[in-house]
Structure formats: structure tokens, C-alpha cells
Amino acid sequence: MTNYLIDGLLPASRDRLCTCMMLENGRKFSFGEIVAASGRYAAALSSLGVGAGDRVAVQVEKSPEALLLYLATVRAGAVFLPLNTAYTSAEVSYFLGDAQPTVLVADPSKAEALKAVCASTGILHLETLDASGNGSLTRLAADAGDDWIDLARDPEDLAAILYTSGTTGRSKGAMLTHANLLSNARTLVKAWGFSEGDVLIHALPMFHTHGLFVATNVAMLCGARMLFHSKFDARRIIAAMGEATVLMGVPTFYTRMLAEPLLTVEAAAKMRLFISGSAPLLADTHAEFRRRTGHAILERYGMTETSMNTSNPLHGDRVPGSVGLPLADVEVRITNPENGKPLGGDEIGMIEVRGPNVFAGYWNMPDKTRREFRSDGFFITGDLGKIDPNGYVWILGREKDLIISGGFNVYPKEIELVLDALPGVFESAVIGVPHPDFGEAVVAAVVPDKGTKIDQAVIMAALRDQLASYKLPKRIVFVEELPRNAMAKVQKNALRQSNKNLFD
């Protein structure tokens, strides 16, 4: 038996001298150095008592060493538990109490505050690692030898636990196996045409599935290089495109690059692919980016529990607003949210998925896990959408975002698409808020284009021509920006909270 994920991502036959990562300061890591260094970190974890199945919680800034720590955890047979760097000590306390890791690795600046949290949750070891790769864990790894032997792990053993955002209640820990992660990486390499000749611009955070698993796993699997950026900076990313071939990003990346005059056809001439995910990409952004660069952004759909499910094609029509076709080994269907019965083409319902990418369940939540899976193995995503006659999947919102107004079902995305296409509207978010007559009222939060002044009457007149009366917003709220989380997803729960008394 071997370590299933590691043997896939870092095969012994790979040229150990080939570059794996290049940093902004010119520092380089070869695959051989990645293997050797992650082995030393695995030995350091082992010296702290980490063994097969143990959890290693990590709340550190992005760095090459953070990637080494992910690989080291898996090589030690343990389960990687990344935590958002924005979480407070109180929030971290919940995750530690729930997952009961053997070790917490944190930024030195937070160590003092986290000591009490570790003591209260029974965590014996608190180690440090900063953005420069320094800390107590690094010192511990430096004393380790180069003879680490990976712990054997089966395909169905856990490799990671990623907690969902928990915007509507208790955060859930999605358990991802070695097979989940490796199968999805293999599928994406083929779907997106990755090869060892590719150079990926990596500007995503490392605590989320997008930057941690999709980006790094795909690059390492095929032997591609990564240009490792500590954070997103539009000008630096545009400059880096001259020596890269692929960018994985969120919609905010693309809107910020479009604000830079440096973004031109010439600047993007060496790039082969731009990928967007984690939040919906506006059709206007898609069109403007294509006009400015000659590239059509490839949008895809995934989630914490499943990694990637669908993707617009590498070769073929990339349809703005759609998240594309089901990936090769993933099944997607639309069902009636009330009874689970499959719906026909172009009908709106619940998106359900099945495949080797789908997680093993929620940590310490067997009842929740059972409720989220159908008897035939399909996972109920909680996303509402449809599949059009050409097989393309469209996301129309979350089930919890569905608005029931006066007995009618209203899908926010349908209204947002119309709003976003209006002159003077930069973007929008539609929510339902309590209403004494309708139960819920449709409310639209609208961000105007910079320097543009529009009013509710003009917008409402335009909407009446395109939407049924029950879908029309009862109120339009103008805001400077929409609240978003770290991965650029609009936080509609925050909008609902701030507008809950609008009709009192």
C-alpha cells in the first residue's frame, strides 16, 4: 500500500530538478526540493505526535512553506485542516473544539491569543509559521533528516477537512479523501489541457479549495510551474502574464485587471487560458475581457464538498453566465426540491451531483450527511439551477436564497441578470426580506457604475418590460459595494440582515 494522493501528485519518476514554484523575489523551488522539504516538515509533525488520521489545523499566511505543510500533513498520514486567516480566536475555537487536531500551526502574531484557545480545547501543540516561512515549525523541520518515509494511505482515507462558511448556522467540516482530490485533479488536467509546459499564475489564498487544491494539485500533477504571488495585485499579475500561460482567479481578479490600461491583447499574447470560479462572473465582464485581450474567460462550477463539477469547454463555446458542461466523470441532474424527482431539460430545480469528486460526508455530523445524499448516491448541492438544451448548466442561486413572495417562487439570479444588463448598473444582488403582506418582498441592492447616477423609477420601468409583476423588486437599495467573503462571493445573509426592517 502507498500514500495514494502523494504518489499521484509527486511521482518518484519526475525530474527532481524541474522548477515547481517561482516567487516574486526570484526564489525558486524544484520538485526535488519540494519533496525533500515537505518530508522534513512531515518528520517535524510526526515528532509532535501526529499520526494516521490525526488532524493538523493551519491558520497561516500564504507562503511556499504553507504548501509544504499541506503536503507534509498528507505524507504523515494525517488530515489537513486549513482555516481562513481572517478568523478570530473565538471562531478558531469552534473549529478546534469540533475537529480536535493534534497540532495547530498559526502565524506568530496570533500565537499569544491562540494559546488560551488551545488550552480550552485540549490542543497540546501550538506551532508557528509566518509569511516568510519562519517559525517554530520551520526550526523543528530544519533539525529533521532527509529519510522520511510516507505513511501508507488508501484512496478512501481522509486527506483534508474543509469547513464551509457557516453563513446560516454551524459550520460543517467537509471530509475530502485522497481519491476525491486526486480524481478531480486528474479530470481537470485533461479538461483544461494542462501539461508540464504550462506556467500557472497562483494569486489565490491557500485556505480555500480553489487555491489549495484546484490550483496546486493540478499544477503538481502534470509537472507545471507556478508563479507564486502572496496576494493579488492587478498590475503585477498583468506583468507576470508575459512569462505565464494560465491564470486561475475569481471574478474580482478580472474586474480589477480591466480597470488597468496595461491590460491589452499584447499583454495577454502568451497566455493560453483564463479560468474563473468561486463566484458568478458577470456577462459584461466576460464580454469586456474578451474585447480587451482576445481571450474568453472559462467559467466553471465547484464547491467545498465536491471540488469541481462542471466547466465551460477548453475547445468549444464558453457561454457567458453558464458554468458549462459536467466534467467527464461527474454526473449532474436537476430535481424537484420538494420531492427529489428528476426534472426535464430547461426546468429550474435543485442541482445534484455524483462522482468520485464528491466528499465522504460532514465531520461529526452523520445525520446531516444522510440528509444531504440521495439513496442512489447523488449529493444535494443546495444550488438551484437548470440544464439548457445544449447540456450547459446554469446556476440560479442557493436554495436558501429562493424568495417566496405572495406564494410565488422567485429566483434571484433571473432578476440579477436583467439588472446587470441595464445601463448604469455595475452589479446587483437580489434578496428576500420580511413583508407584512407578501411574506417576503423582493429587494434589489444595486451598485451603480462609477460616476453614474440612476434612480429607482428608471430601473423599475426597464424591469417591467422584461419580468412578471411578482418578480419585480418592491424596493431598490443603492450601495457603493456588495458585501463579499474572502473568495468574492456576495454575502446575501449580510444584505438580508441590514435590510430586514425595510418594510416594518
Side-chain angles (χ1 to χ4, degrees):
M1 191 170 70
T2 61
N3 190 297
Y4 187 77
L5 177 58
I6 293 299
D7 285 358
L9 296 181
L10 299 172
S13 59
R14 178 169 297 143
D15 185 349
R16 295 172 63 88
L17 298 178
C18 287
T19 299
C20 176
M21 281 189 293
M22 295 179 288
L23 309 188
E24 296 166 90
N25 61 9
R27 186 183 176 197
K28 296 181 180 180
F29 288 79
S30 70
F31 278 100
E33 289 170 328
I34 292 292
V35 172
S38 63
R40 289 192 290 271
Y41 274 91
L45 293 176
S46 179
S47 73
L48 296 171
V50 173
D54 291 336
R55 278 73 60 204
V56 176
V58 177
Q59 190 189 34
V60 299
E61 299 297 329
K62 184 177 181 179
S63 69
E65 286 74 18
L67 175 59
L68 294 176
L69 182 52
Y70 154 52
L71 296 173
T73 300
V74 180
R75 295 183 69 181
V79 181
F80 194 67
L81 173 56
L83 297 173
N84 191 320
T85 53
Y87 286 149
T88 65
S89 297
E91 290 170 311
V92 170
S93 179
Y94 165 75
F95 300 116
L96 299 186
D98 189 54
Q100 285 295 294
T102 301
V103 177
L104 168 64
V105 183
D107 188 271
S109 65
K110 297 182 178 181
E112 192 62 36
L114 289 171
K115 284 181 181 177
V117 175
C118 288
S120 66
T121 53
I123 309 306
L124 298 178
H125 299 286
L126 171 61
E127 301 295 331
T128 59
L129 180 67
D130 67 15
S132 299
N134 299 314
S136 64
L137 187 65
T138 303
R139 292 191 292 273
L140 195 61
D143 294 333
D146 292 327
D147 55 352
W148 175 258
I149 298 175
D150 296 345
L151 265 69
R153 295 276 84 188
D154 279 332
E156 300 311 315
D157 285 327
L158 292 188
I161 297 176
L162 269 63
Y163 278 87
T164 59
S165 57
T167 55
T168 59
R170 180 186 171 194
S171 292
K172 307 180 294 293
M175 299 186 292
L176 297 165
T177 68
H178 284 240
N180 290 153
L181 298 181
L182 187 56
S183 69
N184 207 235
R186 285 171 170 163
T187 296
L188 295 176
V189 166
K190 293 179 182 177
W192 295 338
F194 266 83
S195 73
E196 62 182 12
D198 274 310
V199 179
L200 170 69
I201 299 175
H202 193 306
L204 293 160
M206 293 286 288
F207 54 75
H208 187 271
T209 187
H210 193 173
L212 178 61
F213 296 141
V214 178
T216 59
N217 284 357
V218 165
M220 286 189 293
L221 180 63
C222 67
R225 289 176 289 162
M226 289 183 282
L227 298 180
F228 217 65
H229 288 252
S230 58
K231 61 181 179 179
F232 177 80
D233 179 284
R235 293 184 180 182
R236 289 186 175 184
I237 297 305
I238 293 170
M241 282 160 36
E243 53 181 330
T245 61
V246 182
L247 171 67
M248 291 188 191
V250 297
T252 305
F253 284 17
Y254 297 102
T255 57
R256 290 182 181 176
M257 285 194 293
L258 284 169
E260 297 292 339
L262 294 170
L263 184 70
T264 62
V265 170
E266 291 75 22
K270 292 186 178 179
M271 295 291 288
R272 123 179 132 75
L273 185 61
F274 292 91
I275 302 170
S276 182
S278 296
L281 182 75
L282 295 176
D284 283 352
T285 303
H286 189 285
E288 180 63 10
F289 196 86
R290 188 166 194 167
R291 187 188 70 79
R292 290 272 298 275
T293 67
H295 286 273
I297 299 170
L298 185 151
E299 193 169 8
R300 84 302 181 276
Y301 162 55
M303 54 195 308
T304 300
E305 291 92 338
T306 64
S307 294
M308 298 303 104
N309 298 309
T310 72
S311 173
N312 272 275
L314 181 63
H315 305 291
D317 293 333
R318 299 177 193 172
V319 181
S322 166
V323 293
L325 306 161
L327 289 168
D329 55 356
V330 181
E331 298 174 77
V332 180
R333 70 184 182 191
I334 308 297
T335 64
N336 185 316
E338 296 181 2
N339 56 31
K341 292 183 178 180
L343 297 175
D346 232 18
E347 289 190 87
I348 297 172
M350 178 65 65
I351 298 175
E352 299 183 2
V353 299
R354 181 172 66 182
N357 57 311
V358 177
F359 74 134
Y362 294 113
W363 176 261
N364 284 341
M365 290 185 173
D367 292 339
K368 175 68 174 175
T369 299
R370 281 190 290 270
R371 290 195 298 270
E372 298 302 315
F373 281 88
R374 301 291 185 195
S375 59
D376 58 1
F378 273 86
F379 172 61
I380 305 167
T381 66
D383 289 320
L384 297 170
K386 66 177 183 178
I387 300 176
D388 69 19
N390 295 318
Y392 283 71
V393 178
W394 297 75
I395 309 295
L396 299 176
R398 292 288 293 171
E399 182 182 27
K400 62 181 174 60
D401 293 333
L402 174 69
I403 303 166
I404 303 177
S405 184
F408 291 99
N409 287 355
V410 179
Y411 299 95
K413 191 65 177 180
E414 184 179 7
I415 305 169
E416 291 164 357
L417 288 172
V418 178
L419 281 168
D420 293 342
L422 297 178
V425 174
F426 175 66
E427 63 178 345
S428 65
V430 173
I431 58 172
V433 301
H435 190 279
D437 189 21
F438 294 97
E440 282 187 298
V442 178
V443 172
V446 171
V447 180
D449 283 329
K450 288 184 178 179
T452 301
K453 197 169 185 179
I454 52 177
D455 60 35
Q456 179 164 324
V458 172
I459 292 177
M460 291 302 297
L463 293 183
R464 287 191 186 97
D465 292 335
Q466 302 184 60
L467 296 170
S469 59
Y470 72 88
K471 300 177 184 178
L472 295 174
K474 296 291 187 290
R475 190 77 57 86
I476 293 176
V477 179
F478 293 99
V479 296
E480 291 186 1
E481 61 181 7
L482 300 175
R484 298 180 184 276
N485 66 12
M487 294 308 295
K489 290 183 180 179
V490 174
Q491 298 296 80
K492 289 193 174 182
N493 60 308
L495 283 174
R496 283 191 287 265
Q497 180 65 24
S498 61
N499 290 283
K500 65 179 181 180
N501 299 320
L502 206 55
F503 296 98
D504 284 357

